[in-house]
Amino acid sequence: MSHIETIHHEGFDPEMKQVYVPAIRVVEGRLVFISGITAAPPYHHHPHRPEEFDSIPTDIEGQVERLFRHLDLALEAAGCRRSDIVALNRFFTNVRADQDVVNAYQGRWFGGHIPTSTSVEVKSLATDPRLRLEISAIAVAPPA
């Protein structure tokens, strides 16, 4: 038995392509909260030093690939897999321009698993003005 269960309600159509599910129930496990992750180096100075972010790709394709690589690092360190993610909070600086690229990459990255998700557009991200996306996540590590 899995430690998390996907919940659907009236109106669910399995033929509809979705990037999120309405709810996930935690059956057992340990909660893991992952801070907002971007394409920027996960460890950097505070106050920020702009030169530390000069290697960030400016295109959303490059940023999303790097962001999900950083998310993999956090998951692995917490003893989790991609399929243990139950919630994503996605912060776009231009949701209309970038959402389809992010959705496609995210779908491939999860390989069939679909978490809950919220997407919002923000004016700017705190780390660096060149960043276009930040994602925070909640995962459920399997029971010890």
Side-chain angles (χ1 to χ4, degrees), residues 26-102:
V26 176
V27 178
E28 60 182 342
R30 299 164 289 142
L31 289 175
V32 176
F33 297 88
I34 300 173
S35 292
I37 293 177
T38 67
Y43 296 107
H44 52 266
H45 288 91
H46 293 85
H48 293 139
R49 297 178 183 173
E51 65 276 8
E52 290 185 314
F53 311 117
D54 286 344
S55 67
I56 295 171
T58 57
D59 62 305
I60 191 60
E61 294 84 359
Q63 287 194 19
V64 74
E65 187 275 329
R66 189 177 286 191
L67 182 154
F68 278 96
R69 204 171 345 125
H70 294 161
L71 185 51
D72 271 332
L73 293 172
L75 287 169
E76 183 180 340
C80 294
R81 302 169 309 226
R82 294 172 179 180
S83 61
D84 293 328
I85 292 177
V86 296
L88 292 178
N89 292 306
R90 306 179 329 159
F91 303 92
F92 291 87
T93 59
N94 189 334
V95 70
R96 298 279 179 256
D98 295 344
Q99 178 174 240
D100 290 343
V101 170
V102 173

Side-chain angles (χ1 to χ4, degrees), residues 101-116:
V101 170
V102 173
N103 288 347
Y105 189 94
Q106 179 179 310
R108 291 188 305 274
W109 187 82
F110 274 115
H113 172 65
I114 304 174
T116 65

